[in-house]
Amino acid sequence: MVKARTMAINGFAGCLSAKILFWLIAASNHCDPSPEIHLEAAERAVSFNMKIHEYQAKQILARYGVPVPKGEVANTFEEAQAVARKLFAEGAPGVVVKAQIHAGGRGKGGGVKVAKNREDAELHAKNILGMQLITHQTGPQGQKVQRLLIEETANIDRELYLGIVLDRAVGKLVFMASQAGGMEIEEVAAKTPEAIYKAVIDPAVGFGAWQARKLAFALGLKPTQINQAVTFFQSLYKAFLETDASLVEINPFITTKDDKLFALDAKINFDDNALFRHADIKALRDTAEEDPLEVEASKYELNYIKLDGSIACMVNGAGLAMATMDIIKYSGGNPANFLDVGGSASQEQIEHAFEILLSDKGVKAIFINIFGGILRVDRLATGVVSAARKLNVKVPIVLRLEGTNVEEGRQILKDSGLNFQVGATMKEAAEIAVKAAKEAA
Ligand code: GDP
Ligand code: MN
């Protein structure tokens, strides 16, 4: 079972927090990592985690008293010029020009550049703004840089790591710290798990000062930095709680040559299910950074995540969607997406769902797996027939239908005269879909 679920999850491997959570928790628990990975993927499937930019995360953290370098966002070259000029005029020894995209690894990809004077800052701004930045998290196509953060440079002494995530195995938040900051933390967790210190937080008691102090000592901070660090860590925890975050990560968390502490980078993801009570945070969403198909799907309240396979899935219920992806994998295919049309999808939603599935050029077959409960099978069938006609669907459609009004549903498909293939069981339908996709490829 675990293996089956893990297979479906491989499709989610592009998700940063999933990977981090998986490695960090698995590594630090010294257990087989596979049970953890599907939980995070399932979470991503049923509840999206909204991402924001580094500059936005730093603005939030600053409100909680977390020290961040002085700086401002710039949407155009002229704005970047003005910010750099201002920082130098105020005495900055240098500025760092940072690409703002919803992905990490920007430094390695050429999206973070330090400048000692205004001319260099302008040169970097010109080069980075508008570039297609490729990092290990963007995929090979990269992400277009539409914003910059221009900050005063820090006189870095050490680069450390801080992170707060929910550990589902223990059902508590975990505060993590490591001396191996500034690099890919997934790698640290995989190769040297002992290099990550963690404090499990009891929700009834909160994050204790003693825990913060223990982490500060483990990081090898100087005596003069310990109290600052305790305040820093506690502010970070407070920010996590009060914003209903699902991930807070500071990589690197730095010490400076004059013994100060700063969040040099900042990443915050939010639990979508709590966004209704944070209108200010919801407003920070930048759809330009998201997959266009996922943005389109969210307009119709469809729970859609694009993946790289060739078999599109249309399913009702997140659990069934996970199982469907698993069975496609078992049958030798690859899912092109996760799509949960919900328990009570309307005909209109089903049509939109089809449009979204079909605009993915990698799709070679569609597998519709519906258990009719609140969403009756006949209504689904009517929606499918109408959408297939309207959109002139050419790719093979394979269905597996069960539940309320299943006979009526099958009849509607038969009477349509369209070429639907129906599998008697989930397994059979999956096999037909995999075969159809392979023939079409
Ligand atoms: P990421 O690569 O997307 O995680 O971006 P970061 O914000 O973490 O920046 C990457 C690296 O750039 C950091 O680990 C630092 O080594 C370097 N960097 C960022 N800001 C500064 C700065 O103000 N001064 C110096 N010297 N280096 C910086
Ligand atoms: Mn970073």
Side-chain angles (χ1 to χ4, degrees):
M1 190 61 190
V2 162
K3 202 171 158 210
R5 283 174 170 172
T6 310
M7 280 163 61
I9 279 63
N10 291 339
F12 291 91
C15 170
L16 163 78
S17 58
K19 268 206 279 187
I20 288 184
L21 190 74
F22 154 56
W23 281 118
L24 296 190
I25 292 176
S28 47
N29 282 350
H30 301 288
C31 64
D32 173 11
S34 39
E36 312 299 338
I37 195 166
H38 74 259
L39 285 174
E40 175 67 10
E43 191 209 43
R44 174 150 144 73
V46 295
S47 111
F48 292 90
N49 288 315
M50 191 184 87
K51 294 181 181 176
I52 57 171
H53 289 292
E54 173 194 6
Y55 79 92
Q56 296 167 320
K58 282 178 168 169
Q59 283 169 0
I60 292 172
L61 293 178
R63 286 207 290 276
Y64 284 89
V66 176
V68 297
K70 189 155 78 175
E72 277 174 49
V73 67
N75 296 297
T76 62
F77 174 70
E78 289 69 29
E79 284 177 23
Q81 223 173 3
V83 177
R85 182 177 305 145
K86 189 171 145 207
L87 290 173
F88 279 115
E90 288 169 1
V95 300
V96 56
V97 180
K98 307 185 77 174
Q100 297 296 286
I101 57 168
H102 283 189
R106 297 161 300 164
K108 267 191 195 161
V112 178
K113 296 277 184 205
V114 175
K116 290 264 174 277
N117 53 51
R118 263 174 53 189
E119 293 68 35
D120 283 354
E122 288 174 12
L123 198 71
H124 292 319
K126 204 167 242 155
N127 288 338
I128 299 174
L129 201 59
M131 85 185 273
Q132 201 68 20
L133 181 55
I134 301 168
T135 80
H136 68 283
Q137 284 177 15
T138 58
Q141 77 287 355
Q143 181 73 34
K144 190 175 178 192
V145 180
Q146 293 170 322
R147 272 160 270 280
L148 298 172
L149 171 62
I150 319 279
E151 275 184 350
E152 176 171 353
T153 48
N155 198 357
I156 303 176
D157 185 24
R158 300 177 65 204
E159 297 199 17
L160 310 165
Y161 171 91
L162 299 176
I164 310 175
V165 287
L166 175 67
D167 181 341
R168 287 168 187 279
V170 291
K172 288 175 183 142
L173 293 180
V174 178
F175 199 116
M176 295 175 297
S178 177
Q179 305 203 21
M183 52 185 89
E184 278 171 46
I185 197 69
E186 295 97 323
E187 227 175 282
V188 178
K191 290 185 186 147
T192 49
E194 65 284 356
I196 295 166
Y197 319 115
K198 58 176 210 171
V200 176
I201 302 169
D202 185 324
V205 181
F207 180 52
W210 63 276
Q211 291 180 297
R213 211 170 295 120
K214 221 171 137 183
L215 288 173
F217 278 112
L219 286 175
L221 294 177
K222 296 180 191 168
T224 48
Q225 295 167 332
I226 298 289
N227 285 344
Q228 279 184 73
V230 170
T231 311
F232 190 117
F233 298 174
Q234 287 185 310
S235 306
L236 215 55
Y237 172 70
K238 192 159 189 268
F240 185 107
L241 271 197
E242 291 187 5
T243 62
D244 287 311
S246 54
L247 172 92
V248 168
E249 193 178 58
I250 309 298
N251 190 21
F253 157 57
I254 61 150
T255 66
T256 64
K257 299 255 162 62
D258 54 351
D259 285 349
K260 291 203 187 92
L261 307 175
F262 284 103
L264 208 64
D265 190 6
K267 176 181 170 70
I268 310 183
N269 292 351
F270 301 96
D271 179 350
D272 270 19
N273 288 322
L275 281 177
F276 72 95
R277 55 184 187 189
H278 301 286
D280 53 335
I281 292 171
K282 206 171 171 181
L284 301 179
R285 183 171 174 194
D286 184 353
T287 50
E289 294 288 322
E290 298 175 19
D291 186 289
L293 289 181
E294 291 184 13
V295 174
E296 187 68 12
S298 71
K299 280 190 212 157
Y300 306 108
E301 290 174 21
L302 296 164
N303 207 345
Y304 170 88
I305 298 170
K306 190 184 161 349
L307 302 169
D308 299 326
S310 61
I311 301 172
C313 312
M314 189 190 291
V315 186
N316 65 329
L320 187 58
M322 296 294 286
T324 303
M325 291 158 59
D326 284 347
I327 207 148
I328 288 172
K329 278 269 188 183
Y330 262 139
S331 310
N334 275 310
N337 66 281
F338 171 100
L339 172 63
D340 172 15
V341 297
S344 54
S346 68
Q347 191 160 321
E348 199 199 346
Q349 273 178 308
I350 290 167
E351 284 185 22
H352 286 302
F354 254 102
E355 281 172 19
I356 289 163
L357 295 182
L358 290 168
S359 44
D360 176 352
K361 295 288 163 263
V363 166
K364 303 290 177 232
I366 298 177
F367 180 14
I368 302 177
N369 189 4
I370 298 289
F371 185 83
I374 299 167
L375 170 62
R376 295 176 351 238
V377 176
D378 55 328
R379 186 159 87 184
L380 181 271
T382 309
V384 169
V385 169
S386 136
R389 280 223 176 87
K390 207 159 143 187
L391 303 168
N392 192 20
V393 180
K394 290 280 194 298
V395 297
I397 300 176
V398 183
L399 301 98
R400 175 263 179 177
L401 306 168
E402 258 345 308
T404 314
N405 295 358
V406 65
E407 290 313 323
E408 290 89 329
R410 291 203 175 126
Q411 199 58 45
I412 290 167
L413 295 178
K414 215 175 259 164
D415 295 346
S416 74
L418 294 168
N419 184 22
F420 296 113
Q421 303 179 67
V422 180
T425 62
M426 213 160 128
K427 181 111 201 304
E428 189 187 293
E431 281 161 1
I432 298 171
V434 170
K435 192 161 164 271
K438 283 197 175 137
E439 279 164 7

